[in-house]
Amino acid sequence: MRVPVHYRWGLAALAFLPSTAFADSPAALSAGAPALEVPVRCRIGADCFVQNYVDADPGPGMRDFACGRLTYDGHKGTDFRLPDLEAMRRGVAVVAAAPGTVTRVRDGMDDVSIRQSSGPAAGREAGNAVVVDHGNGWETQYSHLKRGSIAVKPGDRVEAGTPLAQVGLSGNTEFPHVDFGIRHDGRTLDPYTGKEVGTAEAPACSTDQGTAPVPSGTLWSDEARRTLAYRPSAVLGAGLAPEAPKAEVARNGGYAGRPLPANTPVLGVWTELMGGRQGDRVTLEVTGPDGRRLFRNEGAVPRPLAVLFFGAEVKNSTASGPWATGPYRVTVTLRHGDETVLREERRVDLR
């Protein structure tokens, strides 16, 4: 039995709120550049993930700073995403990346994916947003914030780590995240490289990249630099479901590790990954409470993908009756050629 593969490029567009600062000279990184801290309060790589980086290719192609494909053509921000809508509903704080003064705020836009709407009006693609001025022509913007969560107003002084709002789904996007952008004298920069977006040459890429250090020209602080080391792939979620798994239910948090009834007639297994490269192999396994493997299947990534959903049904080895109670383990393995890129487990109890 083959594992069904469902895939779709994530969309998250950032349209900056109008800025009053603009200069005719190139951005000068020596002019009081702030040291940026991580702008979200979550564990990067566990509770939240960098889904999209700035597009480092100035032409019609797409490439992130590490020669990976975690971006899309013309993307100007850094997307810190949550695994599902349930995490968004619980609330994840967006915080100021550096000291400054709040200059502009927009709130009141609904948290709704463009899959379920016609999208925002022109000029409101960033959704609910906050802009902070850091002096010397530097400002940061935090977009796609949760409606009603903005905790600051123009004129407020903030420090690095001051809560601004919560991660949301407002504006031109289809997954919960905050799009973080930084500008100097009106020009947008890549915080990972310090380079102006759309002006530098595309990075020279001879091979696919794995984990990569943040470049020396980064605007991130030393601590943020360590936290934000490049990860080409990640498990956004995995587990069991009381039905044939559905991507939309998983993305809504409907299978989020809750115990399942042992008498469920159908037991599904699922995982959602980000950053799959063409030809990567994804293995999905389920082990029962007695340590016996109940399910194993493998599928190939058909093309470079931002997000990839795998789902299948697990067959009950008994002719009838409930599933054995106890802890079940779901193991997800991603391989790129002979390299194991990641291997993670999730535990789900059947009662």
Side-chain angles (χ1 to χ4, degrees):
M1 180 178 67
R2 292 180 61 80
V3 176
V5 180
H6 308 282
Y7 53 89
R8 177 188 177 102
W9 279 103
L11 174 66
L14 173 64
F16 290 125
L17 294 180
S19 173
T20 56
F22 192 86
D24 294 329
S25 60
L29 298 184
S30 60
L36 302 175
E37 304 298 340
V38 179
V40 286
R41 281 188 181 165
C42 52
R43 295 177 300 162
I44 304 294
D47 303 324
C48 59
F49 310 84
V50 181
Q51 173 72 72
N52 291 309
Y53 297 83
V54 169
D55 179 17
D57 189 326
M62 50 174 283
R63 191 73 66 177
D64 61 42
F65 80 90
C67 294
R69 296 181 63 84
L70 292 179
T71 187
Y72 54 87
D73 188 27
H75 190 231
K76 296 181 179 182
T78 303
D79 292 345
F80 294 86
R81 74 163 293 162
L82 303 182
D84 53 43
L85 293 173
E86 179 60 27
M88 183 192 79
R89 288 188 286 267
R90 289 195 301 268
V92 174
V94 174
V95 300
T101 302
V102 177
T103 57
R104 299 185 298 286
V105 167
R106 181 166 62 215
D107 202 347
M109 294 181 64
D110 290 338
D111 294 290
V112 57
S113 167
I114 59 170
R115 298 175 189 169
Q116 283 81 47
S117 73
S118 58
R124 299 174 69 85
E125 291 87 351
N128 304 318
V130 172
V131 175
V132 177
D133 181 2
H134 305 286
N136 298 307
W138 292 92
E139 63 180 9
T140 53
Q141 179 164 327
Y142 313 76
S143 302
H144 307 305
L145 305 174
K146 187 196 293 189
R147 179 178 180 176
S149 73
I150 294 178
V152 293
K153 63 184 183 302
D156 283 355
R157 178 71 186 176
V158 297
E159 302 299 326
T162 298
L164 303 176
Q166 293 181 0
V167 176
L169 189 64
S170 59
N172 191 30
T173 185
E174 59 181 8
F175 58 89
H177 74 288
V178 58
D179 191 324
F180 173 77
I182 181 165
R183 298 186 288 270
H184 182 245
D185 288 342
R187 290 179 166 82
T188 303
L189 307 179
D190 183 345
Y192 281 82
T193 64
K195 297 178 180 178
E196 185 178 345
V197 175
T199 60
E201 293 184 1
C205 304
S206 57
T207 59
D208 287 328
Q209 299 296 296
T211 56
V214 177
S216 58
T218 183
L219 300 178
W220 297 115
S221 72
D222 289 343
E223 182 177 355
R225 182 176 175 174
R226 290 188 291 270
T227 301
L228 297 175
Y230 183 82
R231 297 173 176 86
S233 306
V235 176
L236 298 177
L240 299 177
E243 61 181 357
K246 300 180 178 65
E248 61 272 19
V249 177
R251 291 167 182 163
N252 193 39
Y255 306 139
R258 299 179 182 88
L260 299 177
N263 63 352
T264 182
V266 176
L267 188 64
V269 58
W270 67 277
T271 186
E272 186 159 39
L273 305 168
M274 56 165 269
R277 292 168 284 184
Q278 185 171 2
D280 284 357
R281 308 294 298 182
V282 180
T283 304
L284 197 54
E285 299 176 271
V286 179
T287 304
D290 60 358
R292 184 168 54 90
R293 190 170 68 195
L294 305 177
F295 175 91
R296 184 184 187 278
N297 214 333
E298 186 174 289
V301 178
R303 62 182 177 86
L305 296 167
V307 175
L308 176 69
F309 185 86
F310 280 74
E313 290 185 27
V314 181
K315 300 299 182 183
N316 196 337
S317 59
T318 61
S320 62
W323 297 83
T325 59
Y328 287 66
R329 287 185 294 114
V330 175
T331 305
V332 182
T333 305
L334 179 68
R335 295 183 178 87
H336 185 67
D338 294 331
E339 176 192 5
T340 298
V341 178
L342 58 83
R343 181 181 176 86
E344 294 190 20
E345 289 188 355
R346 300 287 191 274
R347 169 178 158 161
V348 180
D349 288 332
L350 265 64
R351 299 176 179 173

